[in-house]
Each structure stands twice: as C-alpha cells, then as structure tokens.
Amino acid sequence: MPVLVTPYEVLPLSHDAGIMECIRDATTIDDLLKKGISLVDVLDSKIKKKNFVYSLAGYSLVTYFLQVKDRHNGNIMIRRDGCIFHIDYGFFMSNAPGKGV
C-alpha cells in the first residue's frame, strides 16, 4: 500500500519553543468540526479519498513508531487535497503531557 507523509520544516529556537513551516490550504480537524463540516464533505472526490487513506496510513505509522502522545483533533491537520498530517510532536517517546519535560 502506498503511504503519504507530509514533510515540513521546523526550526527549534530553544528546548521548549520553535517555528514551523506554514502549510497552505490546510486546517485542523477540530476547526472543521467546529464549523459543522464533516470529512464526507471535505473528501468529495476519489483522489481526495485516496490521499486521505494513504496519508492516514503514513500518519498512523509515524505516530506509532515515534510513540507520539497528545493526539487530538487540534493537532491533526487536513489539506485541501485530502492529505492529513500531525503538527505537534512536543510529547513523544517517554515524554507525555502532565509528566513534565
């Protein structure tokens, strides 16, 4: 199965801050739900559905292998073409929310 992963640049500024590249034509899943827009509405073509499935596979593998914590709809973004990606890797491996840095 093909896997899509959205690469983007991140510039760390300190141990707890950084700047992330802006990904155009993307919004969080949380924002869509707050606006009353469902994934069915967004994934309105075969190519968008295919991109969604392939990027979901990539997202699942990356978050599993890195053991990313703190996954929620505010950290998952979807592009206009249907690809999803995760934007917050502040908590992964042994670092989890509420347990300190």
Side-chain angles (χ1 to χ4, degrees):
M1 170 185 229
V3 175
L4 291 174
V5 178
T6 300
Y8 54 86
E9 299 217 19
V10 175
L11 176 64
L13 299 175
S14 70
H15 75 282
D16 63 351
I19 299 172
M20 176 185 148
E21 175 185 357
C22 178
I23 309 292
R24 297 189 186 275
D25 295 326
T27 188
T28 64
I29 300 294
D30 189 50
D31 192 43
L32 288 178
L33 297 174
K34 286 179 182 175
K35 292 178 181 176
I37 302 170
S38 73
L39 284 177
V40 174
D41 297 331
V42 174
L43 304 173
D44 57 359
S45 71
K46 280 187 175 184
I47 192 79
K48 288 182 182 182
K49 288 176 187 167
K50 182 177 82 169
N51 287 343
F52 179 80
V53 170
Y54 292 164
S55 63
L56 181 60
Y59 165 78
S60 298
L61 290 170
V62 167
T63 56
Y64 176 77
F65 287 123
L66 291 179
Q67 298 180 17
V68 175
K69 315 291 192 271
D70 196 30
R71 292 177 315 228
H72 52 78
N73 289 337
N75 287 343
I76 303 169
M77 297 194 76
I78 186 166
R79 291 190 322 219
R80 182 174 287 179
D81 65 358
C83 290
I84 65 167
F85 58 100
H86 194 271
I87 59 167
D88 186 354
Y89 289 92
F91 299 105
F92 66 97
M93 298 193 186
S94 65
N95 188 9
K99 294 186 180 179
V101 178

